[in-house]
Amino acid sequence: MQITTSNYSVIEVVEMLARKELTVNREYQRGTGLWPDGPASYFIDTILEGYPFPKIYMYEYINRGDRRMRKEIVDGQQRITTIRRFFNNEFAIKGESKYAGMKFQDLADDDQLRFSSYTVSVDVIRNATRAEILQMFRRMNAYTLPLNEPEKRHSSYQGKFKWFVNDMADTLNEFFIEFGVFTQRQIVRMADAELISECVLSIERGIVSTSAADLTKLYRSYDETFQNAPNYYSILRSTFDFIIAELGDLRNTHMMKPYALHSLVTALIHAQFGIAQIEQEYGVHRPAQFVPNRAQAVNNLLALAQAHEAKETDGYLHRYVWGCEAAVNRSPRRYARTMSILRAIGAQVPDGEYANLF
């Protein structure tokens, strides 16, 4: 077996397909149907914006019939098929892309040129039997990390909610890194997607325990339609923008631990927009603003973060610290954190444990 790395432009790939010098062998990959509009549009936008995507694998062989060289796509079939479909004006880009509503023919000349000349990285397999190709992929997969729960959800669902989370994550990646919420490695493994999903559950259900099954159910329930997507996007974007603009002092503190940030976001959303479950079940009325006194809120939130970092289990903030200790996605711990934060930002909390916290 010999593997050679080659580069082809998009137009070269499309022309090879048209001449049938390159074909798709669907026996090598599962799930080789057409991508839905969401992932197809995101992929085309990736090319137009000049971002890379994983390499394609082709198998080169001599056709016994006419003794001419042929290539088969053995990995990357959906990507190549999507490229061909877009080039042939078979669908328009959808979603948040600046190219939304456009087919290839609608792009400006410079954009058409950039798409057509985009470099596709390809590993070409030569002098190999089909059994060897299958063995090659088995060996490659043997060194691949098992998918974690967020990755499983994103590989299983291709609908509206997945792409909402994806767009939201793209918007927030810089924040997550700069504020010390996640490492780049954690973002690659989709920890940010999980946090965003948890925030959506908070908007809908308030302070509840959640599990991997709950988040999977969320993806499933909004796979076909997600009518609240624009509203939820606006709520989350406004909340994170407020943190960036007004709560920068919390950068790289324990308030940016993902579970603490989740409670901060929940509290801020309730303060500004209202979460029905928090008002109805716990009697915490919506102040209708993120914080009435920014300086005081920052000081209080820093006190919570410092108590958390110092593990002050016997101090006056012990309930908040307890909420950060273990089982952090269970409702009692989330309640302790969220009520503490609501008081810290100036909301009136009837619960006596928290009413006079600050």
Side-chain angles (χ1 to χ4, degrees), residues 102-348:
M102 296 184 183
K103 296 181 178 180
F104 178 77
Q105 65 190 10
D106 303 318
L107 297 174
D109 290 346
D110 287 348
D111 294 328
Q112 289 188 5
L113 178 60
R114 186 165 59 254
F115 181 83
S116 300
S117 60
Y118 179 92
T119 300
V120 180
S121 180
V122 178
D123 273 0
V124 181
I125 306 164
R126 298 183 174 91
N127 302 323
T129 65
R130 296 185 186 277
E132 287 174 324
I133 295 173
L134 294 173
Q135 174 77 336
M136 180 190 80
F137 281 108
R138 277 196 295 270
R139 288 172 180 263
M140 288 169 59
N141 291 335
Y143 295 98
T144 302
L145 286 173
L147 295 180
N148 60 30
E149 290 299 329
E151 290 168 332
K152 287 177 183 176
R153 285 189 287 273
H154 268 241
S155 65
S156 299
Y157 296 95
Q158 296 294 333
K160 303 293 186 182
F161 190 76
K162 168 188 172 164
W163 294 101
F164 166 84
V165 171
N166 211 68
D167 289 344
M168 197 79 240
D170 283 348
T171 300
L172 295 174
N173 277 349
E174 263 189 59
F175 162 77
F176 287 139
I177 294 292
E178 184 186 341
F179 274 64
V181 182
F182 296 116
T183 65
Q184 293 185 46
R185 176 62 173 164
Q186 287 172 319
I187 287 177
V188 169
R189 300 300 311 271
M190 310 201 75
D192 55 341
E194 183 157 71
L195 176 60
I196 291 164
S197 302
E198 294 271 16
C199 289
V200 170
L201 277 180
S202 291
I203 293 172
E204 296 194 338
R205 297 168 54 192
I207 302 171
V208 294
S209 299
T210 55
S211 64
D214 294 315
L215 297 180
T216 299
K217 183 178 179 181
L218 190 65
Y219 275 70
R220 186 187 310 117
S221 64
Y222 289 136
D223 199 45
E224 294 294 328
T225 59
F226 187 26
Q227 294 181 349
N228 283 324
N231 184 39
Y232 288 0
Y233 188 93
S234 176
I235 288 172
L236 288 170
R237 183 63 188 267
S238 297
T239 304
F240 281 102
D241 282 349
F242 177 81
I243 295 172
I244 294 166
E246 302 295 338
L247 304 180
D249 298 283
L250 302 178
R251 182 186 281 103
N252 293 316
T253 70
H254 273 48
M255 190 57 67
M256 291 297 112
K257 295 289 185 184
Y259 51 88
L261 176 61
H262 172 264
S263 294
L264 174 63
V265 169
T266 300
L268 289 171
I269 289 174
H270 178 63
Q272 178 72 19
F273 304 100
I275 294 175
Q277 186 260 7
I278 293 178
E279 181 147 4
Q280 294 166 7
E281 190 166 340
Y282 306 119
V284 182
H285 299 298
R286 175 172 71 97
Q289 55 184 322
F290 284 121
V291 298
N293 185 319
R294 177 197 168 277
Q296 188 61 55
V298 169
N299 287 337
N300 293 343
L301 291 168
L302 285 173
L304 290 174
Q306 289 160 6
H308 177 194
E309 183 176 12
K311 300 181 180 178
E312 295 176 1
T313 56
D314 55 354
Y316 78 104
L317 299 176
H318 68 95
R319 292 297 296 167
Y320 178 79
V321 175
W322 175 84
C324 299
E325 285 182 329
V328 290
N329 64 339
R330 311 314 295 167
S331 58
R333 308 278 181 167
R334 284 181 166 169
Y335 177 84
R337 295 196 307 268
T338 306
M339 291 301 134
S340 299
I341 292 173
L342 281 167
R343 278 299 298 131
I345 64 176
Q348 298 301 310

Side-chain angles (χ1 to χ4, degrees), residues 10-11 14 37 44 48 80-93 99 101-108 111-112 115-116:
V10 161
I11 191 65
V14 170
D37 290 345
I44 296 300
L48 288 168
I80 294 300
T81 300
T82 301
I83 287 171
R84 177 175 59 182
R85 290 180 60 230
F86 183 71
F87 186 84
N88 290 336
N89 301 302
E90 294 179 22
F91 72 93
I93 298 171
Y99 305 101
M102 296 184 183
K103 296 181 178 180
F104 178 77
Q105 65 190 10
D106 303 318
L107 297 174
D111 294 328
Q112 289 188 5
F115 181 83
S116 300

Side-chain angles (χ1 to χ4, degrees), residues 61-70:
Y61 64 98
I62 296 176
N63 184 17
R64 292 181 180 178
D66 57 13
R67 307 301 297 171
R68 293 181 63 184
M69 195 70 73
R70 295 284 190 272

